[in-house]
Amino acid sequence: MSIPGPHDITRCELPNGIVVLVRENHSSPAVIVNGYLPVGGYDERPEQAGLAAFTADALMRGTAKRTFEQIYEALESVGASVDVSSGTYSTGFGAKSLAEDVPLVLDVLSDALRSPTFPPDEIEKLRGEILTDLEERAHDTRRMANLAFHELAYPEWHPYAHSLLGYSETVGALQRDDLAEFYASGYGAQGMVIVVVGGVKTANVLAQIEEAFGDWEGCRRARAPLPDVPPITEVCKGVITIPGKTQADLVLGYPGPPRTDPEFLDAMVCNTILGVFGLMGRLGENVRDAQGLAYYSYSRVDGGPGPGPWRIVAGVDPANVEQAVASMRDEIRRICEELVEVEELADNKAFITGSLPLRLETNEGVAHSIISMERYNLGLDYLERYADLIGEITAERVQAVAARWLDPDAYALAVAGPSAE
Amino acid sequence: MNETHDGLIKTQLSNGLTVLVKEAHFAPVASLWIWYRVGSRNEYTGITGISHWVEHMLFKGTAAFPRGAVDKAVAREGGVFNGMTWYDFTTYYATLPADRIELEAQIEADRMVNACFDPQDVASERTVIISERQGAENDPQFLLSEEVLAAAFRVHPYGTGTIGHMCDLETMTREQLYAHYRTYYTPQNALVVAVGDLTAQEMLRIVDRHFEALPNGPDVPAVNAVEPPQKGERRVVLEGDGTVAYFQTVFRAPGVHDDDFFAMIALDAILAGAGGMTMMGGGLTNKSSRLYRALVTTDLAVAVYGSLVPTIDPYVYSLSAVVRPGHTLEEVEQALDVELARIVAEPVTGDELTKALKQAKAQFAYSSESVTGQAFWMGFSELFADYTWFDTFIARLSAVTAEDVQRAAQRYLQRSNQTVGWYVPTDDSK
């Protein structure tokens, strides 16, 4: 099986602006349908925090053709799933089924995206679920550390500073009409991307998509890109005390490079060295393996459409928070100030390129790659060029990207856990 | 004892190691797993959590692969790896580009006998494992489940979770860990499974090359614990932080070799949705299941889950729910009881059985997409039955009738066979 590329991915644009990409995989009896629409938390006002997520969840709660019960009876009866959920800048959807059930999945998806009815009783049920989840969040150290980190790392006016799920006050105040209005102004064919991977015939599935979405109109307003943010210039620390917990979770990080940044792959290699490679990279080696401070201590660079976070997370005994932070800062300083050794860089690059076949093993993995190629204009030949792009990255470039985005003396740090006493 | 069919070979090396290899040519990757028949089922008070800790120690190095070398060696070749400990087993695997899979065979053969258990590494790993337990303790559902299972089993080790008790984690010694390792890490107590884009013969040769010379060890100690029949409902009330209440109830369940086991799989799918049985993720929703409609659609709960896990000795069937604030644990329990009484009193419908079967077929298709998933299921099945358990799953599920489900419901969903757990939140700051 070859690497997915222009030779086996069919890309076409429907007259209404929907971009469709299909890759056949006849070794699989299953099919993945993934994609996104350009609407999300970015399009809600701060006092409506949670509106985009609430609206996306509500799409599957009742449509012109089916009630909530009918939607899930139809899907679950054939072992299929359809999920719609909002991100900050887009709303993603994902569906999985056996090949024979793709027409049903597309019909349910089109119904949910095009003809939601927002039944009032279902909206109230959903609100109850979201509010319960927010209550659980308030007692979840990982989630609270992450929430506080975003508030510290991003200016108040930036969409990334706010919770996508919202807050109990904002979600409690949203009305059914708010959801319907948000839907009407934000959802439409223009800018939508659909990717299909699995045991399908391209011509057939294109015809089915045309049938399901071809006559959808809706040309949404122009949207500015997610704004850049100023770098962090001092230590911004927040502590959330959650009595009754045993462990403290901490997140230390920065606003990071968007996926479209020309140096994103440099950042990805740098992050792999810092907190991914092997058992959580240098951070795992230092914080977990050598000092035994934490079960997990790793780093992630999100990328995405805006300046998504580049962060280190760890769960530690409350008495060890200071020591863990000191070790994280040591590792940040080291990667900013010292060139990575030749062998370590080679190992990390070998991992990144060598693990490509694993990431492309499943339909889901392939669909994920195709979405990135389309969304960030990487080109359909991106995976074919991938090894060369990684191969060109030098120790100097890794150090430069670290120095550009990371700083051992100025960062956002959020800690959530019991008090240290 | 070779069994060969469809690119699959099952055999045993002269030292007693069981080997199962299977060809899969969809992608240029391969996954190799080694399974040891040891887990928290083999533990007792004083050494609870020892199997899991030994698993951690096998990542701390041998003479050939010093600390950190295994992680780096696999990653350098583009692979991913992990280790897992459960009641019945400890397993290690790596999934790699197919032409690099021999590396994992080399690593596993080496650390089956040569792990160092350096005292300093034991000390640093003690705090890592304590941290793992503390992280789990932050989750009310972990705390509730731990209490419920402890109440459901008073004799069998299934009553204690794989992570172990904190006091044991604080006091176990390097000598105890090493002795546990030497006792259970032997070829005859292990199983190697490889699935990937090589011929079965090639995979067999690789396994043979690295494992054949390893010496066999003495027989492992038998697990003699038998949980006595439960005679009466048991209840646990746990208080803890937060504002959300959690409910869990477990019923003592039939063993995998019992005729009722597949009826229970169908019953679980009908009550709580398919997917309760997988350990590698199912991803199916359960919004059309009976319990979702009885608990979530009625606003009493925000989520409900079922879980039926195949095990060597009989385990439990578990149902849990997250109570919606404004409603009570009593209400959730009452509504659940009504549904349980219904499935005991009335046969399920043909449509419900058809749906359960189709869901299982779809999940098998999904889990077979990756060599990692296939190797997991083959090895896992071998532990409590044999690999054909996985192969014949659909056929056996399709043979289940409405009468079978009702009989299983009548037999197992009894109050006297039940342990009920409530997590009562103590924080009323709303």
Side-chain angles (χ1 to χ4, degrees), chain A residues 148-166:
Chain A
F149 166 77
H150 278 84
E151 288 168 3
L152 293 163
Y154 293 90
E156 209 271 328
W157 49 265
H158 198 279
Y160 286 164
H162 306 287
S163 164
L164 258 178
L165 279 177

Side-chain angles (χ1 to χ4, degrees), chain B residues 214-241:
Chain B
L214 299 180
N216 203 354
D219 289 346
V220 301
V223 174
N224 297 318
V226 177
E227 186 66 26
Q230 183 171 339
K231 303 213 169 145
E233 183 196 65
R234 300 174 191 172
R235 300 189 75 87
V236 191
V237 178
L238 176 67
E239 294 178 4
D241 76 291

Side-chain angles (χ1 to χ4, degrees), chain A residues 127-148:
Chain A
R127 187 198 309 277
E129 289 177 23
I130 297 170
L131 290 173
T132 307
D133 184 48
L134 294 176
E135 288 197 31
E136 291 187 285
R137 179 176 76 180
H139 292 269
D140 184 318
T141 51
R142 278 198 209 201
R143 295 175 71 188
M144 289 311 288
N146 208 34
L147 190 67

